[in-house]
């Protein structure tokens, strides 16, 4: 069962709006649909999955900058668009391959945090391995958005799922699934929504993100804290055992049989 969206913090004037949409290659959303989406939503960053070469005409219609990462051997891939130039183009990160499709991720260093654009494999072990590969290319503050193809929790340590909880895709128009997600680390989500589906088989999602006031959660920090707690517990258990075995202590001691 899908959980309701948790309450959001107060709006932050420094937040940035991101829209992510799986376009459905060739037969789905085309440039005209994207122009209408941009004019209506005014995103600071638009992420696209299953974008074909034809989507490269988008800047001619709305300006801005555009980057396309074609999947190896496929007619489609990942794409990013922004109304203002980036400091440097997105990095293309190869992911652990599936049986039929080799996958990549786009990683953008953007406005003080990293953004990963993903279209993960359908295998429920493989797509979580792919997420861990992506995490190793992200800074302390980061967001990963796109088509996860994941059922259930993403299980990415240190990240929180802050995207909308409504279904974003209907498998054969029957089974509603929440495949399009947003996971963040060191960021706060101030707005989230599932947008009208249009001509694709996926709904776009939108989030508005800003740096967390308490600062980023450094990579490995949670793992290090857990290891420290485990060491303290082991030391406490050894100390308790020594006190029980000490002659004259108040602890009980089992007599040998």
């Amino acid at each position: 069962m899908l959980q309701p969206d948790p309450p959001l913090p107060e709006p932050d004037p420094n937040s940035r709006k991101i829209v992510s949409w799986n376009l459905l290659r060739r037969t789905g959303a085309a440039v005209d649909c994207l122009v209408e989406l941009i004019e209506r939503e005014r995103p600071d960053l638009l992420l696209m999955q299953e974008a074909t070469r034809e989507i490269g005409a988008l800047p001619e219609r709305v300006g801005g900058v555009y980057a396309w990462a074609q999947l190896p051997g496929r007619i489609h891939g990942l794409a990013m668009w922004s109304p203002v130039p980036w400091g440097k183009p997105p990095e293309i990160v190869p992911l652990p391959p599936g049986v039929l499709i080799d996958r990549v991720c786009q990683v953008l260093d953007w406005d003080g945090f990293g953004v990963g654009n993903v279209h993960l494999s359908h295998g429920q072990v493989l797509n979580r391995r792919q997420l861990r590969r992506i995490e190793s290319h992200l800074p302390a503050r980061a967001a990963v958005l796109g088509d996860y193809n994941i059922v259930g929790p993403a299980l990415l340590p240190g990240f929180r799922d802050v995207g909308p909880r409504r279904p974003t895709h209907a498998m054969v128009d029957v089974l509603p699934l929440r495949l399009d997600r947003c996971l963040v680390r060191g960021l706060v989500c101030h707005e989230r929504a599932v947008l009208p589906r249009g001509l694709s088989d996926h709904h776009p999602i939108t989030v508005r993100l800003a740096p967390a006031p308490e600062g980023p959660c450094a990579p490995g920090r949670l793992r290090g804290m857990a290891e420290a707690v485990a060491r303290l517990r082991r030391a406490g258990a050894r100390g308790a055992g020594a006190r029980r075995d000490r002659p004259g202590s108040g602890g009980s001691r089992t007599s040998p049989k």
Side-chain angles (χ1 to χ4, degrees), residues 13-131:
N14 298 316
S15 63
R16 297 290 180 266
K17 184 175 185 178
I18 305 176
V19 173
S20 174
W21 195 9
N22 184 322
L23 306 180
L24 182 59
R25 58 191 180 277
R26 287 195 172 171
T27 59
V31 172
D32 287 344
C33 303
L34 293 167
V35 170
E36 190 271 336
L37 175 71
I38 290 170
E39 291 178 345
R40 184 183 74 241
E41 297 296 329
R42 300 292 180 184
D44 297 298
L45 183 65
L46 173 62
L47 309 179
M48 293 155 276
Q49 302 88 44
E50 295 199 20
T52 58
R53 189 177 301 276
E54 291 76 13
I55 303 299
L58 183 61
E60 299 173 11
R61 300 282 301 276
V62 292
V65 290
Y66 179 83
W68 184 48
Q70 184 176 11
L71 297 187
R74 314 296 289 186
I75 64 169
H76 61 89
L78 304 170
M80 291 185 173
W81 174 89
S82 171
V84 297
W86 305 306
K88 59 181 180 180
E91 176 189 4
I92 300 175
V93 178
L95 301 181
V99 176
L100 299 176
I101 302 177
D102 292 337
R103 306 268 180 176
V104 301
C105 171
Q106 285 179 305
V107 175
L108 179 66
D109 184 1
W110 183 65
D111 276 3
F113 58 91
V115 177
N117 180 21
V118 301
H119 188 185
L120 303 179
S121 294
H122 290 85
Q124 298 302 297
V125 173
L126 176 59
N127 51 27
R128 289 168 171 86
R129 286 181 54 216
Q130 291 169 341
L131 274 178

Side-chain angles (χ1 to χ4, degrees), residues 2 150-151 166-171 175-181:
L2 295 173
I150 279 178
V151 178
R166 288 177 50 202
T168 62
H169 174 73
M171 184 182 294
L175 179 63
L177 298 170
R178 189 174 71 93
L179 299 183
D180 302 87
R181 304 192 185 186

